[in-house]
Amino acid sequence: MRASRLLSILMVLQTRGRVTAEALAAEFEVSVRTIYRDIEELSAADVPVYADRGPNGGFQLLDGYRTKLTGLSTAEADTLFLAGLPGPAADLGLAELLTVAQLKLTAALPERARATANRVAARFHLDPVGWFRSAEEARLLPAIAQAVWNETCLEVHYKGRAGAVVRELQPLGLVLKAGIWYLVAQVRDQPRTYRISNIREIAERDARFARPKDFDLVRFWTRSSRAYEVGLYRSKAVLRASPSGMSKLDLLGSVVARAAAETAAPPDRDGWIRVVIPIESIDQAAADLARLGTDAEVLEPPELRHRIAANARALLRLYRRKRTALSGARAPQSADKAAQLRLPG
C-alpha cells in the first residue's frame, strides 16, 4: 500500500509541480507527518524532491526530472482518458486503481500530450445510466469480478422467473448495459447471461475451469442481445395514431418507433396514421400503450383492444369509488360545522 502511495505522490508532483504537504495528506487520506516520511523515503531512493519554505511553499521535483512513457500517441492517450468510467470502476472495486492509473499516465505523457488529455478529461464524461434511473446495487460484483479474473467456479443463488435456483457457473465475463451489470457464464458448456442484481448469494469453489479459447465476450454479447431483442416481440398490433401519438412512440423503444415509421400509411382526414408495431405480449402491450393515452387507438388484435378497454373501465371504477369515499368522509365534518353555526351564542 505504501509503495503505491509513494509512486502516486511522485506522479502528483510530476504532474502538478509544487504541492503542499497538507494537500498531499488530504488527497491520500493520511497525516501530514506520514507525507513527510514518504518524501524522505523518495529522497532516499534518489528521487530529486525538495521543499520550498514560506506561504507559497511545498514539495517539488527538480526541473527536468520525469518518468518516460513511449509508444503512446496523443490520440491514444485521449482515448484512455475518455474510457475511464468512475462509476463502473467503483462497482468493480477498482476506483482507486483507475485513479492511480490515470495519474501515472498523466505524469508520463509529454507536456503537450498531457495538456490535450487533460482537456479531454475535463470536457467529456460518460454516464452509462439512463434518465430517471439509478445504477442497480451490485454488492457481489467485486467478488464475481475476482472469480471471472481468476477463472474460478462459482455457486450462485439466483432469483429467476420461476423462483430461486442454485447454479454452478463458470464465469466468463461481465457486461455493463444501460447501468445494469450482467454476468456471462458457462453452464454445461453453454454460455448464458445472468443479471447481477438477481444474484442473492455466491460461494466461490476451489475448482478452476479452463476458459474456452474461442470464446469472444463482445461477439457473444452482440449476438445474444440482438437475438433477445428480436425474440422479445412475439406478435404485432395495428394502431391508429394521432400526430402527437406518432411522436410519443419513441417512449416504447427504438424498435417500435422504427417499425411504425416503416409501416406508416398516409394520414386520414383527421390526420391520424395507421401503423403496425411489434408487441411482446397482450399484457405488456396494454401497459405500454397506456402511455400514449388518447393519442392512439388499437385496431388489432381484438384481445389487445379489449384488454385496454377493460383496464380503462377498471381505472374509472377505482377513481369513482375513491371520489365517493372522500366525499362521504368530508360530509360529517361539514354537517358538524353547520350544527356548530346554529348553536346559540
Side-chain angles (χ1 to χ4, degrees):
M1 179 67 179
R2 188 177 186 186
S4 175
R5 188 175 66 246
L6 290 175
L7 184 56
S8 297
I9 291 174
L10 174 59
M11 298 298 108
V12 168
L13 295 177
Q14 185 171 301
T15 304
R16 304 177 191 171
R18 186 183 292 112
V19 185
T20 66
E22 290 76 11
L24 290 171
E27 177 150 350
F28 295 104
E29 299 180 349
V30 295
S31 66
V32 172
R33 184 182 297 275
T34 298
I35 292 298
Y36 277 104
R37 286 200 297 265
D38 290 343
I39 293 296
E40 290 176 0
E41 191 160 335
L42 286 174
S43 297
D46 295 327
V47 175
V49 57
Y50 63 93
D52 284 334
R53 305 292 181 182
N56 298 321
F59 297 112
Q60 187 174 353
L61 292 173
L62 186 67
D63 289 344
Y65 178 84
R66 60 183 297 106
T67 59
K68 298 294 181 183
L69 178 64
T70 60
L72 192 66
S73 69
T74 301
E76 290 168 341
D78 295 348
T79 302
L80 289 176
F81 273 86
L82 188 61
L85 295 175
D91 290 343
L92 291 167
L94 302 175
E96 182 178 350
L97 293 176
L98 175 64
T99 302
V100 172
Q102 288 188 336
L103 188 59
K104 291 177 182 179
L105 176 60
T106 303
L109 289 173
E111 188 67 33
R112 185 174 180 181
R114 186 195 313 169
T116 303
N118 286 334
R119 288 185 66 192
V120 171
R123 287 162 173 78
F124 295 95
H125 173 65
L126 304 182
D127 183 359
V129 183
W131 285 108
F132 309 110
R133 296 181 181 179
S134 59
E136 291 191 336
E137 180 185 2
R139 61 182 178 85
L140 299 175
L141 188 58
I144 294 174
Q146 191 69 24
V148 170
W149 185 255
N150 293 332
E151 299 179 357
T152 307
C153 295
L154 284 177
E155 181 184 274
V156 303
H157 295 249
Y158 187 81
K159 180 183 178 183
R161 292 184 178 180
V165 296
V166 179
R167 292 278 189 274
E168 183 160 323
L169 309 178
Q170 297 176 351
L172 300 175
L174 289 165
V175 177
L176 178 64
K177 172 74 170 178
I180 300 174
W181 283 99
Y182 295 91
L183 169 66
V184 177
Q186 189 165 255
V187 183
R188 294 188 291 273
D189 298 328
Q190 290 295 325
R192 297 182 181 179
T193 302
Y194 297 86
R195 189 164 172 162
I196 294 292
S197 61
N198 286 340
I199 297 178
R200 298 295 182 249
E201 297 178 28
I202 63 170
E204 188 171 349
R205 297 300 191 190
D206 294 333
R208 297 172 64 90
F209 67 94
R211 182 183 178 87
K213 294 182 179 179
D214 58 345
F215 178 76
D216 186 307
L217 179 61
V218 175
R219 185 171 63 244
F220 168 80
W221 180 260
T222 301
R223 289 179 178 176
S224 61
S225 58
R226 286 177 181 171
Y228 171 75
E229 289 180 345
V230 171
L232 183 67
Y233 300 104
R234 300 180 178 87
S235 187
K236 293 182 180 180
V238 181
L239 307 182
R240 179 174 171 266
S242 69
S244 177
M246 290 295 294
S247 65
K248 292 179 182 178
L249 285 172
D250 282 334
L251 297 173
L252 308 185
S254 60
V255 175
V256 172
R258 184 167 58 250
E262 293 173 352
T263 60
D268 61 18
R269 290 181 303 175
D270 299 324
W272 286 50
I273 301 171
R274 185 180 184 275
V275 299
V276 179
I277 64 169
I279 62 173
E280 179 179 350
S281 66
I282 297 297
D283 289 339
Q284 187 63 46
D288 290 341
L289 291 171
R291 305 172 69 183
L292 305 184
T294 57
D295 283 316
E297 177 190 3
V298 174
L299 303 178
E300 298 177 15
E303 297 87 352
L304 178 55
R305 183 180 176 90
H306 295 158
R307 180 62 56 82
I308 293 177
N311 291 348
R313 287 192 294 270
L315 191 63
L316 183 59
R317 286 195 299 270
L318 173 65
Y319 275 82
R320 281 179 173 171
R321 186 169 65 249
K322 290 287 186 181
R323 185 176 61 183
T324 303
L326 291 173
S327 300
R330 286 195 294 265
Q333 297 178 6
S334 300
D336 291 343
K337 286 183 179 180
Q340 291 173 10
L341 290 174
R342 289 194 296 269
L343 290 175

